[in-house]
Amino acid sequence: MAKGAIVVGAGPVGLMLAGELRLGGVDVVVYDKLPGPSGESRGVGFTRRAAEVFEQRGLLERFGDVEWAQGHFGGVRIDFGKLDDNHFSVRGVPQFRTEEILENWLKELGVPVLRNHEVTGYRERPDCVVVEYEGPDGHGEDTAQYLVGCDGARSLVRTLAGIDFKGWGATRGMYMADLVGAGVRQRPIGEKVPGGMVMAFNLENGVDRIVIHDENLRPPEDKSALRFTDIADAWQRMTGESLHHAEVRWISSFTDTTRQAEHYRSGRVFLAGDATHIHMPAGAQGMSVGVQDAANLGWKLAAAVNGWAPEGLLDTFESERHPVGEKLMRNTRAQTRLYLTGDEMEPLRAVMRELVELPEAARHLAGIVSGVDIRYDMGPGDHPLLGLRLAPGHELLLEDGGRTRVAELLHPARGVLLVTGTADDAARVRGAAAGWDDRVRTVVGEWAEPVTGDRPAAVLLRPDGHVAWAAPDGVELLGRALERWFGRGRDTAGSRAHAVGAAGV
């Protein structure tokens, strides 16, 4: 019997997606060509929205005490403390630590991660995908209803699917190194120096990460030819400081190549993470957007595997996430030019520094880099939260006297209907949703803080935490939202009468 899904790639995105699928009741397996975790750490943190996604699955606490960091846009600081919403990101968490936490989570969920298994091809059939691989025992095949390529910028799955990867080639590059005993002065968001930019910050346990943009050097295309002496020489030339004595943990390089997959789906094959978008690193957005790709796709694929997905649900993965990728390409290209171009860009930097003092401009730029401004098209409805995420830290007082937070209610990766207000209002909303109680959990209580614009009297959340309906929009629209995102409801007295009280809750 075919599995529900095969995920290719055991990076943060592939691991996150596999966990989402398993929470949805899907038989899933992860294939990765490497014999073990790479131990590399291109990403060293994640954005606010990615942190919220982890929190929604009970994973954020596994990172322990983390450093919440201010943000910037292309080196222009944004004072997050002046903003109403929380945009602070997590800094100093190596990517290998994120992968370790996610893989341990998969072990608890019973999801196999098959290392040293390189996917080499696939054949798509009307009802499944047959995946070919080379493993320790030679050639093999596996079958699943769906295949997802989370296999990075050089994605084989994307290539085999014939999906174009269009964009812009490299014009500049950066070197990076993780060092012990460097004794380097910290420059956490970078510092302009003659000939380029340098950055330095503590990664963990005395390990410093340095990043160099040297206008006179271009990183080699073949990274195997990269030598630490080249990086140390460039640092000394640009800063006057020597790093040659430091112990080297890891070195790498990257460019500002920017590309996006033309499509995120081809039949039964999907793409997520770096397989869909690559760009110059800026504020840990790449991995963070990939984690959000996984949170968006996982519950939808699970709905399809379990047979209750409404028509067109799988298509919303591309219609919702492709525009997010487009904005990611735009904002990272803008930040690259603002951040790395020479003195000729200083007048624009000065204007940007003035703009971020304006609350509306600061909120807009903060939302771009944090990801909390992402809004999906949910159809009819007037509530200002519609399509946005509901802040997971909001607390509720439950009927039984207990307390919980929005994030905790989302741990099982199911839809959630939060109902507050009068007994009559609550009964009307609960009755309208009765036919979906196998897919949507209804929770009745009161907000721990007064009802405001970001705490509606009643709200329907998708498994990814985005608002699909909110009061005072009527229960007729609630019924339409339930059908759109959770399929047809069972025939119950409550669902048949969901139009009663349509003018409001």
Side-chain angles (χ1 to χ4, degrees), residues 208-504:
D208 287 314
R209 163 149 304 175
I210 66 158
V211 181
I212 304 172
H213 170 58
D214 186 339
E215 296 173 355
N216 300 311
L217 293 177
R218 179 71 59 83
E221 293 294 332
D222 181 6
K223 293 184 181 182
S224 65
L226 184 63
R227 301 180 304 164
F228 174 64
T229 53
D230 297 329
I231 297 174
D233 289 348
W235 184 273
Q236 187 165 20
R237 182 174 64 253
M238 298 172 75
T239 68
E241 302 168 359
S242 175
L243 301 173
H244 293 81
H245 62 282
E247 175 190 341
V248 181
R249 290 285 182 88
W250 179 61
I251 62 173
S252 189
S253 63
F254 51 88
T255 71
D256 63 344
T257 299
T258 303
R259 299 188 187 281
Q260 184 182 20
E262 185 175 16
H263 296 290
Y264 286 15
R265 177 189 185 185
S266 175
R268 291 184 171 271
V269 179
F270 292 79
L271 304 173
D274 285 353
T276 64
H277 40 69
I278 61 168
H279 54 88
M280 180 74 92
Q285 290 187 81
M287 186 191 81
S288 298
V289 170
V291 166
Q292 295 167 66
D293 289 343
N296 186 286
L297 177 60
W299 68 275
K300 296 173 181 177
L301 271 183
V305 172
N306 292 325
W308 58 260
E311 183 178 356
L313 180 66
L314 290 183
D315 291 332
T316 66
F317 172 61
E318 179 170 323
S319 65
E320 291 182 344
R321 296 306 296 173
H322 198 280
V324 172
E326 288 177 341
K327 290 181 179 178
L328 176 66
M329 303 297 98
R330 183 181 66 188
N331 98 64
T332 53
R333 293 184 73 215
Q335 289 195 67
T336 297
R337 282 151 182 76
L338 191 65
Y339 203 19
L340 300 181
T341 308
D343 291 340
E344 68 272 19
M345 189 63 73
E346 186 54 36
L348 181 56
R349 297 187 189 107
V351 171
M352 290 291 291
R353 286 191 287 268
E354 293 176 358
L355 284 175
V356 297
E357 293 300 315
L358 302 175
E360 189 60 33
R363 280 194 297 271
H364 179 72
L365 293 175
I368 288 175
V369 298
S370 70
V372 302
D373 69 337
I374 294 171
R375 184 192 295 270
Y376 300 136
D377 179 7
M378 297 292 175
D382 297 321
H383 198 282
L385 274 182
L386 194 65
L388 295 171
R389 105 295 188 220
L390 186 65
H394 288 338
E395 285 193 318
L396 291 108
L397 307 177
L398 301 176
E399 285 182 305
D400 62 6
R403 297 174 72 100
T404 190
R405 295 180 305 115
V406 170
E408 295 169 8
L409 297 174
L410 290 166
H411 284 184
R414 293 180 62 198
V416 177
L417 178 63
L418 304 178
V419 184
T420 68
T422 68
D424 287 344
D425 288 344
R428 195 154 45 238
V429 173
R430 294 179 75 171
W436 288 267
D437 57 9
D438 58 332
R439 284 151 277 169
V440 178
R441 178 188 176 190
T442 298
V443 177
V444 179
E446 297 292 337
W447 292 112
E449 298 181 37
V451 173
T452 62
D454 65 345
R455 296 175 182 84
V459 59
L460 174 65
L461 301 179
R462 304 191 318 185
D464 58 3
H466 282 259
V467 175
W469 169 89
D473 290 340
V475 291
E476 180 180 9
L477 290 183
L478 170 60
R480 293 170 65 178
L482 286 163
E483 289 189 358
R484 177 176 182 180
W485 300 111
F486 300 99
R488 294 184 61 84
R490 300 188 325 279
D491 188 17
T492 68
S495 60
R496 287 196 302 271
H498 78 268
V500 176

Side-chain angles (χ1 to χ4, degrees), residues 164-186:
D164 286 341
F165 202 39
K166 299 179 179 179
W168 297 267
T171 63
R172 65 184 78 236
M174 286 185 173
Y175 297 99
M176 67 168 62
D178 292 346
L179 309 174
V180 177
V184 64
R185 178 167 64 83
Q186 301 293 288

